[in-house]
Amino acid sequence: QVQLVQSGTEVKEPGASVKVSCKASGYTFHSYDFNWVRQAPGQGLEWMGRISPYNGDTDSAQKFQDRITMTTDTSTSTAYMELRSLRSDDTAVYYCARARPLDNWGQGTLVTVSS
Amino acid sequence: DIVLTQSPGTLSLSPGERATLSCRASQSVSSNYLAWYQQKTGQAPRLLIYGASRRATDIPDRFSGSGSGTDFTLTISRLEPEDFAVFYCQQYGVSPWTFGQGTTVEIK
């Protein structure tokens, strides 16, 4: 069965960077895009961007374009999302999710930004 | 960006009742690329409906989606105890993909 397993909780200071991983199994890795979605505490869902493991093409929401880097490693079937210049309002659970629409989700990674 | 507005914000119903959730888009959703997700507290969202009306794998047939263009509806024909949660609509036709703000279906 399809599984997406994300890395663990992160605590970062303002201005730092965070890199979240998402390891896929149960299907052919390069066949589906990876998306990143975040959810601030008590808030709704926000799409951040997506990457094609097949050719590396990316697309991201304008508000993240200068701070986000999405990559994939086909040798380990893992997708990565790095967010730089963290602020307190980046505190959220970050999810990876497969395909279009989002048919399988990781368990989420809590990123807390605090001094 | 396409803005999705969900209504009502909260729906208070009893098990066995019918739930009707609305999602209105600020502009037409291309190819009806409209999905619905269910999220329970502390869990990741789960895909229920895609293409406005197609049930995702293993989704019970009490969940149905309808609509086109700018107006979409998720209907739960008879609420089961496990259905109470937050529901989000999402358009995935045009970048940036956007979500509605969510509708909470709570036990009355």
Side-chain angles (χ1 to χ4, degrees):
Chain A
Q1 75 282 18
V2 176
Q3 274 197 308
L4 302 178
V5 179
Q6 298 184 222
S7 49
T9 298
E10 301 268 10
V11 179
K12 297 291 183 181
E13 293 191 346
S17 299
V18 68
K19 193 170 186 177
V20 179
S21 68
C22 172
K23 184 171 177 59
S25 61
Y27 71 99
T28 302
F29 180 70
H30 63 254
S31 295
Y32 299 92
D33 288 0
F34 277 90
N35 292 264
W36 292 93
V37 175
R38 76 177 186 179
Q39 186 170 38
Q43 301 302 307
L45 302 169
E46 181 176 31
W47 181 78
M48 302 176 70
R50 66 175 179 265
I51 181 168
S52 165
Y54 179 75
N55 58 16
D57 284 353
T58 61
D59 177 29
S60 57
Q62 188 169 18
K63 70 179 286 187
F64 300 109
Q65 279 180 356
D66 58 348
R67 294 200 294 141
I68 193 171
T69 300
M70 295 173 288
T71 57
T72 59
D73 182 344
T74 55
S75 69
T76 59
S77 298
T78 303
Y80 298 91
M81 186 281 299
E82 181 180 37
L83 192 63
R84 299 178 295 277
S85 303
L86 291 168
R87 307 183 287 255
S88 58
D89 63 357
D90 291 317
T91 294
V93 175
Y94 290 76
Y95 293 101
C96 61
R98 189 189 80 154
R100 176 192 189 201
L102 309 174
D103 65 358
N104 283 272
W105 295 63
Q107 83 277 18
T109 297
L110 175 61
V111 176
T112 301
V113 183
S114 174
S115 55
Chain B
D1 298 2
I2 296 178
V3 176
L4 300 179
T5 303
Q6 293 186 238
S7 61
T10 303
L11 206 47
S12 298
L13 295 167
S14 300
E17 289 193 296
R18 181 185 189 89
T20 303
L21 288 67
S22 173
C23 176
R24 179 162 290 178
S26 61
Q27 60 193 86
S28 185
V29 176
S30 65
S31 303
N32 285 341
Y33 284 152
L34 192 286
W36 291 91
Y37 301 86
Q38 177 190 49
Q39 187 178 33
K40 298 179 182 179
T41 302
Q43 296 184 16
R46 176 176 71 147
L47 177 66
L48 298 175
I49 300 288
Y50 66 98
S53 61
R54 301 182 179 193
R55 269 188 301 276
T57 304
D58 295 331
I59 301 303
D61 61 7
R62 63 180 181 273
F63 291 93
S64 64
S66 62
S68 64
T70 60
D71 287 295
F72 299 89
T73 301
L74 174 70
T75 302
I76 311 171
S77 59
R78 287 178 56 86
L79 282 162
E80 297 287 340
E82 63 269 25
D83 297 338
F84 293 88
V86 181
F87 294 83
Y88 295 95
C89 59
Q90 180 218 14
Q91 69 80 21
Y92 54 98
V94 174
S95 181
W97 297 0
T98 50
F99 291 90
Q101 81 279 19
T103 290
T104 300
V105 178
E106 64 177 22
I107 299 177
K108 186 175 181 179

